[in-house]
Amino acid sequence: MNQVLILGKPNSGKSLLFNRLTGANQKVANFPGVTVEVKRGVSGSTMYVDFPGVYSLQALTTDEIVAIQQLKKAVADKDISVVLCNLDATRLERSLVLGVQVKQLADRHGLPVVFSLNMMDEISGSGLKLDVEGLSKDLKSRVIAISAKTKMGLSELKQALDAEATSGKRQLEAPIGEANDQVDFESNSGSLLRAKELAKKYGPNSSVILKNQNRIDHWVLSDIWGGAIFLVTMLVLFQSIFSWASPLMDGVESAIGNIGSLLTPLLPEGIASDFVNDAILGGFGSFLVFVPQIFILTFIIGLLEDSGYMARAAIICHKPLSLVGLSGKSFVSLLSGHACAIPAMFAARIIESPKKRILTIMALPLVACSARLPVYSLLIVALIPSVTFAGGLVGLQGLAFFALFVFGYLVAGIVTGILSKTVYKEESDAPFLLELPPYRLPAVGPLAQRSIKSSWAFVKEAGAIIFAVTIVVWVLGYFPNGGEDLGSSWLASVGQFIGPIFEPIGLDWKFGVAVLASFLAREVFVGTLGTLYGIEGADENIAGLASNLEASGLTMGSGVALLVFYAIALQCVSTVAVMKKETGSGVLPIVTFVAYSVLAYILALAVYQLF
Amino acid sequence: MNLWDLKQHQSGTMKAFSEEMPEAYRHRLQEFGFQKGELVTCLRQTPFSGPKVYQVGDSVVSLTQDLASVVAVEVSE
Ligand SMILES: Nc1nc2c(ncn2[C@@H]2O[C@H](COP(=O)(O)OP(=O)(O)OP(=O)(O)O)[C@@H](O)[C@H]2O)c(=O)[nH]1
Ligand SMILES: [Mg+2]
């Protein structure tokens, strides 16, 4: 099998190209440093390898050291047949710094290089010209003009790769002895000069390309407008999670209700029908209702990431975040943490400063992630009337949602602020440096696909846990008296045992069981409560868990205390595991878990006492 | 005069990195186009006196004060 190594500068479109070539769905975003791990994909008889982008073979951060080592190892690897070096035509000189070095390195290993000159749609869109042929002659390599976005030139690119891979050039020019991979400073400044020369000779006029971007930045980064645009963007983002998802959620809810009423007559009375109604539809079903919200959240964050705004947001946030020991780049990671803390912890690798990176990782479990959404929505709907102002644009429930998100950030800021001045005071720091990508219209299609895929992955992953827990809860709650009396079930006995923990917050044992079960994964909370109310409900009343909660007499004080608890507690086994991987510490995740659990309980208690 | 002193929309010719610039950062900035003799423009100051945005050649880069203030530039009036 031919193996093609895709290399190139960050944000040059490698991953989009990789997706086009292999049909994969790797994350693509308009921000440098999106891909952090090597990813393989196969198409026909060719394997493509997508690499994290690097600016040159000289590293700035420890993660770049790793990426560059991997890159050098791969180039030396006999199984690789050709290097595909991706250039951003709109940033030709910048792309060629690495391009020239990669070419040098590959030459030493007798490895052929094909250059793809990407983003040609933007070049022709601004009426610019680029001398592809001249560049190709000068580089002594094939250079193919492409657009990963419009798919222009992709078949020529594949042909060129095939031709190089099968020419057997690799074997012919195999290096003698150990190749010297060290690109020393001499050749580094050499490659800088060469890149400049090539770009000047063959490249487009860059000032034309940058004009648009600079015109928008004039507003987006201005003193007054910059802050206002930022705040409005955030408000719209979180508000829309709530309002846009509502119709979809109602749809899922009524679909589940319909399935229930279709199924019930078909099932024999008694245990089977009770199980389907209480556990499957009531428990698992009430979780499914919230999946559209997770989809919309992923989608909207994706829109923002693909627009180029994230880099600007990072700049605007840098100063305020520095006050609490974080970097502007932390914002990029924290915002993606609203979808899920796990990829967000990987995204924290873009932060140059080891200190700020670890503090970002510590802050991430406090960001309102999508697994918290079901819990938040359920309680908000149960507690807060659905009143809207400004012609339906702003809603009370949406505002409550926003408040919870802000609360998460507030606690995170206090925690990292304290840690940066105490525990991590001496940890090594590094300055902030960021290349600003152009503004682009987000690619809605691929983004929608990716959001569907990740929501589906969420359903599968969380679904398995919820399903298992739901069944256990149902069995314990249904027996020994056949669902006649939840209060004297096995589960109730367990509940009595843990009751004293939750009594001070004004919560009965049912909530206690749900909270405890959700230490596996937060979203279990909804499934568990759904099951319990399913068993308890005399009539099959699957839909409307929120109204069940309302009817159960959940007070405002307990409800808010519960929200505060969920906003802080680290109830996610996978987050703890990734935290261990990304920090290389076994103790830190455990300490964090315990600390956040205790803090969550104390604050919940305080809130309940205040009300 | 250093990069941080450049006012919005002011340009200067890049002279040298001072000793205080960490080596890895010097390399990265050179790769971004901050090389001797190049024309650097300060595109924007940002809210809360955050990082400033500079253009050099085809790159637009944002730098904080700790980096920008150790890059010497010359302004010809
Ligand atoms: N207009 C246009 N945009 C493109 C093209 N190829 C990629 N993009 C956009 O460029 C941005 C970066 O694309 P990615 O594929 O994530 O870039 P990457 O090289 O993998 O970046 P890193 O993983 O950060 O190294 C995204 O916003 C893409 O939508 C293209 O041919 N034309
Ligand atoms: Mg990528």
Side-chain angles (χ1 to χ4, degrees):
Chain A
M1 185 177 284
N2 288 335
Q3 284 197 31
V4 177
L5 213 56
I6 307 180
L7 304 178
K9 145 190 188 301
N11 210 41
S12 59
K14 297 177 295 301
S15 298
L16 185 59
L17 179 58
F18 172 82
N19 288 348
R20 295 292 195 209
L21 291 169
T22 61
N25 230 321
Q26 272 284 85
K27 179 162 179 179
V28 169
N30 194 5
F31 192 85
V34 175
T35 307
V36 293
E37 305 232 284
V38 176
K39 171 89 183 172
R40 284 158 218 281
V42 177
S43 159
S45 63
T46 311
M47 177 189 276
Y48 295 93
V49 188
D50 184 21
F51 252 75
V54 287
Y55 286 104
S56 77
L57 297 180
Q58 299 235 354
L60 182 65
T61 64
T62 43
D63 286 294
E64 280 180 18
I65 294 177
V66 175
I68 291 167
Q69 269 169 358
Q70 273 181 319
L71 186 158
K72 286 180 175 172
K73 221 173 108 205
V75 171
D77 185 346
K78 288 279 169 292
D79 291 335
I80 301 294
S81 20
V82 48
V83 170
L84 168 53
C85 185
N86 189 47
L87 307 172
D88 175 350
T90 67
R91 303 274 192 283
L92 192 59
E93 185 183 336
R94 257 6 88 209
S95 310
L96 280 168
V97 172
L98 179 74
V100 168
Q101 293 182 356
V102 163
K103 171 79 177 143
Q104 247 176 37
L105 184 68
D107 279 350
R108 279 189 216 151
H109 290 277
L111 187 64
V113 180
V114 172
F115 288 93
S116 51
L117 197 54
N118 195 22
M119 317 259 182
M120 285 305 279
D121 57 307
E122 290 188 355
I123 294 290
S124 40
S126 358
L128 290 166
K129 288 258 166 347
L130 218 155
D131 183 0
V132 183
E133 213 166 301
L135 187 63
S136 167
K137 278 206 185 98
D138 216 332
L139 280 170
K140 298 193 183 61
S141 301
R142 291 175 204 249
V143 179
I144 317 288
I146 66 161
S147 162
K149 185 181 169 193
T150 66
K151 303 186 190 172
M152 186 269 284
L154 291 193
S155 51
E156 286 99 309
L157 180 63
K158 276 191 211 171
Q159 276 168 17
L161 289 170
D162 275 346
E164 290 291 351
T166 49
S167 69
K169 202 169 153 197
R170 173 106 223 217
Q171 268 68 33
L172 287 175
E173 288 178 28
I176 308 150
E178 267 301 283
N180 175 19
D181 285 351
Q182 227 49 58
V183 175
D184 43 42
F185 186 59
E186 274 294 294
S187 62
N188 191 46
S189 63
S191 61
L192 292 177
L193 278 176
R194 177 103 171 102
K196 192 191 297 291
E197 176 202 14
L198 288 169
K200 201 170 253 159
K201 241 175 165 169
Y202 310 109
N205 179 351
S206 52
S207 59
V208 176
I209 296 169
L210 293 175
K211 219 160 88 199
N212 262 331
Q213 156 176 358
N214 292 345
R215 202 177 307 143
I216 302 177
D217 277 340
H218 181 77
W219 295 100
V220 170
L221 291 176
S222 86
D223 283 326
I224 301 160
W225 288 106
I229 292 173
F230 178 79
L231 285 179
V232 169
T233 310
M234 291 302 116
L235 192 64
V236 169
L237 171 73
F238 297 124
Q239 174 74 36
S240 54
I241 298 167
F242 208 79
S243 44
W244 293 10
S246 304
L248 286 172
M249 290 168 69
D250 292 344
V252 176
E253 191 162 335
S254 63
I256 291 171
N258 288 339
I259 294 173
S261 42
L262 280 177
L263 272 183
T264 314
L266 303 177
L267 293 166
E269 273 285 309
I271 184 164
S273 133
D274 284 352
F275 175 74
V276 168
N277 273 307
D278 306 343
I280 308 285
L281 298 172
F284 191 57
S286 28
F287 157 73
L288 281 184
V289 169
F290 296 98
V291 174
Q293 222 167 28
I294 292 163
F295 166 79
I296 294 213
L297 178 73
T298 320
F299 184 77
I300 296 180
I301 292 177
L303 283 182
L304 215 54
E305 287 177 336
D306 214 17
S307 68
Y309 185 69
M310 294 303 271
R312 280 72 188 183
I315 292 176
I316 291 176
C317 289
H318 183 74
K319 242 328 181 350
L321 285 177
S322 304
L323 296 178
V324 293
L326 300 176
S327 155
K329 291 185 183 179
S330 306
F331 176 79
V332 179
S333 161
L334 292 173
L335 192 78
S336 78
H338 285 296
C340 177
I342 292 162
M345 281 190 183
F346 290 118
R349 292 191 193 178
I350 54 170
I351 302 165
E352 313 88 344
S353 152
K355 171 179 174 173
K356 289 174 173 156
R357 177 172 164 199
I358 199 155
L359 288 173
T360 306
I361 291 176
M362 300 287 289
L364 274 169
L366 296 167
V367 171
C369 72
S370 55
R372 281 186 172 108
L373 289 185
V375 183
Y376 286 180
S377 314
L378 178 67
L379 292 172
I380 285 176
V381 172
L383 293 171
I384 293 173
S386 128
V387 181
T388 57
F389 322 96
L393 220 58
V394 182
L396 208 55
Q397 294 181 338
L399 283 179
F401 223 56
F402 188 61
L404 276 167
F405 280 56
V406 172
F407 176 69
Y409 277 126
L410 222 62
V411 176
I414 294 171
V415 167
T416 57
I418 292 173
L419 287 179
S420 90
K421 292 191 176 69
T422 53
V423 184
Y424 292 108
K425 194 163 189 238
E426 305 298 328
E427 185 85 22
S428 66
D429 203 351
F432 170 95
L433 175 59
L434 179 64
E435 187 194 14
L436 293 196
Y439 290 95
R440 293 202 169 98
L441 278 180
V444 177
L447 184 59
Q449 268 177 22
R450 203 177 73 227
S451 309
I452 290 174
K453 209 183 109 187
S454 67
S455 315
W456 178 236
F458 185 76
V459 171
K460 269 200 302 197
E461 229 163 89
I465 301 175
I466 292 173
F467 202 65
V469 173
T470 301
I471 290 176
V472 171
V473 166
W474 182 80
V475 168
L476 289 178
Y478 192 79
F479 293 107
N481 39 33
E484 289 306 314
D485 179 21
L486 185 61
S488 61
S489 65
W490 289 333
L491 195 62
S493 327
V494 179
Q496 307 304 297
F497 190 69
I498 55 168
I501 308 176
F502 296 96
E503 230 175 67
I505 318 176
L507 295 171
D508 68 13
W509 67 270
K510 275 177 282 186
F511 284 98
V513 167
V515 170
L516 221 58
S518 61
F519 268 92
L520 282 172
R522 300 179 173 99
E523 53 281 17
V524 165
F525 176 79
V526 175
T528 307
L529 273 187
T531 310
L532 291 177
Y533 282 102
I535 298 176
E536 204 170 46
D539 274 319
E540 308 316 339
N541 178 15
I542 318 141
L545 179 53
S547 38
N548 275 335
L549 281 192
E550 243 181 304
S552 81
L554 178 68
T555 65
M556 190 56 120
S558 305
V560 175
L562 208 53
L563 283 169
V564 166
F565 183 86
Y566 271 88
I568 297 169
L570 207 182
Q571 297 159 297
C572 178
V573 178
S574 332
T575 302
V576 176
V578 173
M579 211 169 178
K580 178 162 183 266
K581 177 169 187 273
E582 288 300 288
T583 59
S585 157
V587 184
L588 182 75
I590 296 170
V591 171
T592 312
F593 171 79
V594 173
Y596 284 165
S597 304
V598 172
L599 183 65
Y601 186 77
I602 292 174
L603 284 185
L605 200 64
V607 164
Y608 180 70
Q609 301 299 337
L610 276 181
F611 261 87
Chain B
M1 192 161 176
N2 63 50
L3 263 187
W4 192 256
D5 297 330
L6 286 182
K7 292 193 192 65
Q8 196 153 296
H9 305 311
Q10 198 181 16
S11 302
T13 309
M14 162 94 200
K15 269 168 52 188
F17 295 104
S18 94
E19 296 289 303
E20 290 153 69
M21 176 68 77
E23 181 164 319
Y25 274 90
R26 194 186 67 214
H27 288 161
R28 179 54 44 87
L29 285 172
Q30 284 172 333
E31 288 154 21
F32 279 150
F34 292 89
Q35 295 154 23
K36 204 178 164 197
E38 291 290 315
L39 191 73
V40 184
T41 309
C42 174
L43 290 178
R44 274 230 69 89
Q45 288 159 309
T46 59
F48 316 119
S49 66
K52 290 186 182 174
V53 182
Y54 299 93
Q55 179 179 344
V56 50
D58 62 358
S59 51
V60 178
V61 178
S62 167
L63 302 179
T64 43
Q65 185 168 7
D66 38 5
L67 286 181
S69 60
V70 292
V71 182
V73 290
E74 199 171 46
V75 180
S76 52
E77 228 87 24

